Amino acid sequence: MPDTIERLKPAVLLIGTYKSTDSPRFQLRGTGFVVGDGLMVVTNAHVLPSDPPSADSPALVVQVRQATGEWKMRPARVLGTNAPRDLALLRMEGPAVPAMRLGNSAAVREGADLAFMGFPIGGVLGFSVVTHRATVSSITAAALPSPSAGRLSEQAIRGLRGGTFEIFQLDATAYPGNSGGPLFDPDTGDVVGVMNMVLIKGTRESALSQPSGISYAIPSVHVRELLERHR
C-alpha cells in the first residue's frame, strides 16, 4: 500500500472557507478528492456552508498540496449536489491535479480490506493526509430502522424520502475531518466510496467526543451519477 498512498495523496484536498477578517482566516470543513479532468472535487454535501452565499460570507475554497509540501489555496464553486446521498461536486480554479480513478462499488463485498484518507479531527493533528485501513463489516441500508416514528432521526427521515440505498459500514474509527475523503482499494487505488461521518452517526460533536469505532461510506456509484449529470 505505500506506493498507492504516495500516488494518491496529491489528489486529497482540504475543503473549507476563507475570509480575511476571520480568525483563523481559513476554516477547515472536511476532506475532498480530485476526479475527472483534474479540476472536479468530490466531498460530502454537509461539508459545504449551510448559509446561502452573500457578499459578506466567506469564500468556498480548496487547498492543494504542492510538491514542496506547502498548501496552495484555490477558489472553488459548487457544480451540483445529491442531498439524499450527502454528496457534492465542486470545480476548482487553477491547473489540473492528478485525479483519482473511480472503481466499481458494486463489486465490494463484506470482509473486503480497504483504506481511506482524510484529515481526522481537522487541524488538531496538522494538515497532513492521514491513511487508515478499514474492513467492510456490513453493506446495509442507509436509512436504519427505528423502534417508533417518534425516534426517527432527521438523517433517517431524509433517507426515507430520498429512497433507501446501500452504505458501507466499516470497522474503523474516523472523525468529522474525514468527511468527504476517499475510500479506496489499497492495491489499485480505485475509489469505491466517500467517507461520511454525519449521515448515520449524528452530529459532529458526538462523532468526535464518542467515536464508536464504526464508520460509514457512500458507494462510488452515486459519485458516477453525479459526474454524469454535470459533464
Side-chain angles (χ1 to χ4, degrees), residues 28-207:
L28 175 68
R29 297 188 61 89
T31 301
F33 60 95
V34 181
V35 296
D37 62 0
L39 294 174
M40 291 184 174
V41 180
V42 174
T43 189
N44 288 151
H46 78 258
V47 165
L48 304 179
S50 56
D51 296 330
S54 67
D56 191 50
S57 61
L60 178 65
V61 297
V62 302
Q63 292 208 42
V64 180
R65 194 174 185 87
Q66 307 299 293
T68 59
E70 298 178 345
W71 292 96
K72 176 72 172 179
M73 192 178 303
R74 300 191 190 183
R77 60 185 175 90
V78 180
L79 288 180
T81 61
N82 181 335
R85 273 50 170 181
D86 197 17
L87 293 174
L89 182 65
L90 315 180
R91 188 167 187 86
M92 63 180 175
E93 297 181 7
V97 173
M100 288 187 170
R101 185 174 59 192
L102 293 179
N104 179 15
S105 57
V108 174
R109 301 173 62 188
E110 293 180 353
D113 291 323
L114 302 174
F116 60 92
M117 287 181 170
F119 303 92
I121 324 180
V124 174
L125 301 180
F127 291 148
S128 298
V129 178
V130 179
T131 305
H132 295 279
R133 289 186 178 272
T135 298
V136 180
S137 302
S138 177
I139 301 175
T140 187
L144 301 180
S146 296
S148 68
R151 294 178 62 184
L152 279 171
S153 68
E154 181 183 350
Q155 288 84 7
I157 291 171
R158 286 204 305 265
L160 290 169
R161 286 175 176 170
T164 59
F165 62 99
E166 290 186 334
I167 192 170
F168 298 142
Q169 178 179 312
L170 308 171
D171 182 13
T173 301
Y175 293 90
N178 286 113
S179 286
L183 175 71
F184 61 92
D185 184 309
D187 295 322
T188 65
D190 291 352
V191 177
V192 294
V194 182
M195 297 300 294
N196 191 297
M197 300 307 301
V198 171
L199 187 66
I200 300 294
K201 297 181 77 167
T203 67
R204 293 174 60 94
E205 290 76 14
S206 65

